[in-house]
Structure formats: C-alpha cells, structure tokens
Amino acid sequence: APMELTLRELRQSYRDFAIVSPQPEESVWTPDGPVSIAWRTSADLRNGMQVSVFIDGKLEATTTQATIPVIGLERGEHSVTAEIRDQRNRQIATAGPVTFFIRQPGLLNRPGGGA
C-alpha cells in the first residue's frame, strides 16, 4: 500500500485550491438560471476527499465535481467559500471567500434592451 501523506504534506499539495467562478465582485445576471460555482486545484483529489461549498455560510453541496450549479439565490450580495476534507474529515484546504452579486434586469438596465 502507498504511504499515507502527513496532514502537512496534504495541505502543501492543495495550497493552490481556489474558487474560480464567480470572480470576486462579479455581477451575475441570471434571475432564473443557475449560478455556476467552480473551484480548482492543481492536485487531483485523493481517494475519499470531498469539497464542501458554502454560500453565505450555509453548506450548499459536498461533491468531487469541480463545478456545481446553484439555483434560487436572491438578488443582492453573496459570499462563497469552499473546503477540501479528507476521508477522516480533516480540513485540508480552504478557498474564498469570494463575494459576488446576483442582479436582475430591470426596466432601465435590461441587457440588450433600450428604446
């Protein structure tokens, strides 16, 4: 069996873990559609590892997928963070917070609209 990495070695492997979508301060113009939350790290997740994604401090999903769709976010400011945990539920890496905004087209600011 391969030697298990120490917690310090694991944390070093995932030090570039980051949220890549949405971008900081991004305005998302999707009043009804999902918002894609995406993360990346140069190291593949090891067996048993999972990423937990939190929006406004609440757990949104625990996954191994690099992108998750989120629906039902209210208009306004939101914050997303994420963390990698190993099979023993130890926190390996954290990403964020990234602040973004849900905007809804109004009468004056409809994309592509106008008189």
Side-chain angles (χ1 to χ4, degrees), residues 7-54:
L7 191 56
R8 181 180 185 159
E9 290 167 328
L10 279 174
R11 288 182 171 151
Q12 190 69 16
S13 299
Y14 297 98
R15 70 183 183 279
D16 64 346
F17 178 56
I19 294 165
V20 294
S21 179
Q23 295 289 307
E25 305 297 316
E26 180 177 345
S27 289
V28 180
W29 293 88
T30 52
D32 302 316
V35 175
S36 287
I37 307 293
W39 56 268
R40 70 155 176 76
T41 179
S42 58
D44 290 335
L45 292 182
R46 298 171 70 86
N47 271 350
M49 286 187 163
Q50 292 196 308
V51 173
S52 294
V53 177
F54 299 85

Side-chain angles (χ1 to χ4, degrees), residues 43-95:
D44 290 335
L45 292 182
R46 298 171 70 86
N47 271 350
M49 286 187 163
Q50 292 196 308
V51 173
S52 294
V53 177
F54 299 85
I55 296 182
D56 302 328
K58 293 191 298 244
L59 179 63
E60 182 66 34
T62 299
T63 182
T64 56
Q65 300 299 311
T67 303
I68 63 160
V70 176
I71 56 171
L73 290 176
E74 296 291 320
R75 181 171 46 185
E77 181 178 318
H78 297 279
S79 174
V80 60
T81 59
E83 63 185 30
I84 298 175
R85 290 191 173 267
D86 69 4
Q87 67 272 20
R88 291 198 236 159
N89 203 33
R90 296 180 300 184
Q91 184 176 301
I92 304 302
T94 58

